[in-house]
Amino acid sequence: MRIAVLNGPSLNLLGSREPQIYGRATLGDIEKRLRVVAGELGAEVEFAQHNGEGELIDRIHAMRGNADGALINAGAYTHTSLAIRDALVAVDVPFVEVHLTNIFSREPERRHSMLAGAATAVLCGFGALGYELALRGLVAKLAEQSA
Ligand code: DHK
């Protein structure tokens, strides 16, 4: 099972970016842990991070036929990008929307997600651990569907 892990703007700065909000784990730490968990689950993971909306959309388009599922933290585009949701719907790859923070407990402009309505699941508020939890959940769900 191939899982794409896609991160959006400023998530390349995790570890030093507002650590009181986003934690101390770097994106590299998160990816390292996901590789271990994927190995345990018998899944393959592929990572990408882009700051630009267009690059993220290109990466989503590239998932068609190449990924069975995806974890996506679109960063601030989560709250604004109909274009990213359209791309996700277009490729028809099941995805889990992941956020480090509980977006529903933050500023009003972060409490709405453009992507959630198209997501298989949404997981937020567990910090870096959320990616691992989301990977476990998505792999279990995809395995159940293909059984
Ligand atoms: C990450 C971001 O970069 C923010 O723009 C979102 C999200 C929240 C997170 O919690 O992972 O509002």
Side-chain angles (χ1 to χ4, degrees), residues 60 63 70 72 83-93 95 115 118:
I60 291 165
M63 294 189 326
I72 301 192
I84 290 180
R85 182 172 80 206
D86 281 352
L88 288 163
V89 170
V91 299
D92 198 23
V93 171
F95 72 94
L115 313 182

Side-chain angles (χ1 to χ4, degrees), residues 15-28:
S16 60
R17 170 196 185 198
E18 300 181 273
Q20 70 286 4
I21 294 176
Y22 294 104
R24 292 263 171 215
T26 66
L27 193 53

Side-chain angles (χ1 to χ4, degrees), residues 9-11 14 17 21-22 73-79 98-103 106 110 124-125 131:
S10 300
L11 292 164
L14 283 180
R17 170 196 185 198
I21 294 176
Y22 294 104
N73 184 350
Y77 290 132
T78 302
H79 315 295
V98 181
H99 300 290
L100 294 138
T101 63
N102 178 358
I103 57 172
R106 298 189 62 191
R110 294 185 201 274
C124 70
Y131 286 84

Side-chain angles (χ1 to χ4, degrees), residues 15-95:
S16 60
R17 170 196 185 198
E18 300 181 273
Q20 70 286 4
I21 294 176
Y22 294 104
R24 292 263 171 215
T26 66
L27 193 53
D29 295 334
I30 291 170
E31 291 178 354
K32 197 168 152 192
R33 179 64 191 149
L34 287 179
R35 276 190 211 287
V36 172
V37 175
E40 188 191 304
L41 299 173
E44 285 171 40
V45 273
E46 194 180 289
F47 302 105
Q49 186 277 328
H50 296 287
N51 291 317
E53 191 176 21
E55 287 92 342
L56 285 166
I57 290 168
D58 288 341
R59 186 63 193 81
I60 291 165
H61 289 174
M63 294 189 326
R64 185 157 35 188
N66 292 306
D68 302 301
L71 307 185
I72 301 192
N73 184 350
Y77 290 132
T78 302
H79 315 295
T80 61
S81 184
L82 184 56
I84 290 180
R85 182 172 80 206
D86 281 352
L88 288 163
V89 170
V91 299
D92 198 23
V93 171
F95 72 94

